[in-house]
Amino acid sequence: RAGEESGKLSEALQLVAEQMERVYQLQKKIKGAMIYPAIIVVALLIVGVLMMIFIVPTLTATFEDLNVDLPVSTQIIISISNFLVNYTIPAIGLILLAVVSFIYGLKTTIGKKLWNTSLLYIPVVKTIAKEANAARATRTLSSLLSSWVQVVGAFEITEGVIQNHKFKAVLSDARERVQKGEPISEVFAENEHLYPALVGELIAVGEETGKLPDMLLEIAQFYEGEVEQKTKNMSTFIEPLLMLIVGGGVGFFAVSMITPIYSVSTGF
């Protein structure tokens, strides 16, 4: 559309190809960083369910024979185990239903909005989401303005490129206020909770110097580099965090099951 409006369709298609390649590489790196944590979490859940179904009932029978008072944590584990043993098929059905509902929900408008909003409250992830959207928006604007597309049209097209409804709303507001003659930088400066503060500041410099497309491109390149580096750091950060979570879960289970046995042995 930008190429048709500017009369430079071949150049616009080349810009689209380059941008799609960058977006693809970024998504590939983010997915790659999440594969290892996902495998660990799924494996942990499977092992936990198997232990609840096959191991905990044996220990429960032992506790009943010993007629020992059980701590609250042990009672919780036994209750979960009894539910899984007595209602195995319904429990599996509920888990599958929850997974399918989650996946389907993400495809709905409301689900997408809830997911996009939740990303802005998750530590580490929220920073990557903000910088990734900033990079995509500024690169698209730079490409369009470099192709001599009018500012209002450039914002309209960029608004369609951005998927997160909160970031899209900022671009929509910017488009409306630009038509009224207000500076672009003011809109981004007022939304520093979404777009990093540097975006508004550098756009102001671009407006003052008359080199807005070049400044937008520099912003995009900077935040693309930041997102790439943070994605690498995220995988490094997640590994020890998962180890702590797994260790905490194993420790909770071990203490809950061993404490009654220890109390009986010390009583003798």
Side-chain angles (χ1 to χ4, degrees), residues 2-268:
E4 289 175 331
E5 291 184 4
S6 63
K8 296 187 176 183
L9 184 57
S10 60
E11 294 180 13
L13 289 172
Q14 181 63 33
L15 290 172
V16 169
E18 293 175 357
Q19 183 163 337
M20 290 181 67
E21 176 66 19
R22 290 188 179 91
V23 171
Y24 170 76
Q25 292 297 335
L26 177 59
Q27 292 175 342
K28 184 178 178 181
K29 289 175 183 177
I30 293 176
K31 290 179 181 178
M34 298 303 295
I35 288 177
Y36 173 77
I39 292 175
I40 295 298
V41 170
V42 171
L44 179 62
L45 291 174
I46 293 174
V47 171
V49 170
L50 293 176
M51 291 180 67
M52 290 292 183
I53 294 175
F54 297 104
I55 297 178
V56 174
T58 304
L59 296 174
T60 302
T62 302
F63 296 151
E64 291 177 352
D65 293 337
L66 295 174
N67 193 24
V68 61
D69 294 332
L70 301 177
V72 176
S73 59
T74 307
Q75 294 177 18
I76 292 174
I77 291 178
I78 291 176
S79 298
I80 297 173
S81 175
N82 291 336
F83 176 79
L84 292 176
V85 170
N86 297 327
Y87 305 98
T88 304
I89 295 178
I92 294 175
L94 285 174
I95 293 173
L96 293 177
L97 179 62
V99 173
V100 172
S101 299
F102 178 76
I103 294 174
Y104 176 77
L106 290 179
K107 297 180 180 180
T108 63
T109 302
I110 297 176
K112 289 178 180 178
K113 288 184 177 181
L114 290 174
W115 175 253
N116 290 334
T117 302
S118 65
L119 291 178
L120 300 176
Y121 294 94
I122 302 175
V124 181
V125 175
K126 64 180 181 181
T127 303
I128 295 177
K130 292 177 181 179
E131 294 181 348
N133 278 282
R136 177 179 290 190
T138 52
R139 178 170 287 279
T140 304
L141 283 171
S142 175
S143 301
L144 294 170
L145 295 177
S146 297
S147 300
W148 292 282
V149 176
Q150 292 183 351
V151 177
V152 175
F155 270 100
E156 183 180 354
I157 296 172
T158 304
E159 186 181 341
V161 172
I162 302 301
Q163 302 299 316
N164 192 305
H165 68 286
K166 286 187 173 292
F167 295 90
K168 187 190 293 284
V170 175
L171 295 174
S172 177
D173 183 34
R175 174 170 54 84
E176 294 176 358
R177 292 171 63 174
V178 164
Q179 290 178 304
K180 299 176 183 178
E182 298 182 27
I184 299 173
S185 56
E186 286 187 5
V187 181
F188 289 94
E190 294 172 2
N191 290 276
E192 292 183 359
H193 61 290
L194 293 174
Y195 288 91
L198 187 62
V199 175
E201 295 172 359
L202 291 182
I203 288 178
V205 174
E207 289 177 319
E208 292 177 3
T209 59
K211 296 182 178 180
L212 183 57
D214 295 336
M215 190 60 68
L216 288 169
L217 181 59
E218 291 186 17
I219 296 172
Q221 292 173 341
F222 172 76
Y223 283 115
E224 285 168 353
E226 287 291 299
V227 170
E228 182 177 354
Q229 185 60 46
K230 284 183 172 64
T231 303
K232 294 179 181 177
N233 295 340
M234 184 173 65
S235 59
T236 305
F237 167 77
I238 288 177
E239 291 182 14
L241 179 62
L242 278 178
M243 293 299 293
L244 290 174
I245 295 174
V246 171
V250 172
F252 176 79
F253 180 84
V255 171
S256 299
M257 294 294 102
I258 292 175
T259 300
I261 298 175
Y262 179 77
S263 63
V264 172
S265 63
T266 54
F268 286 116

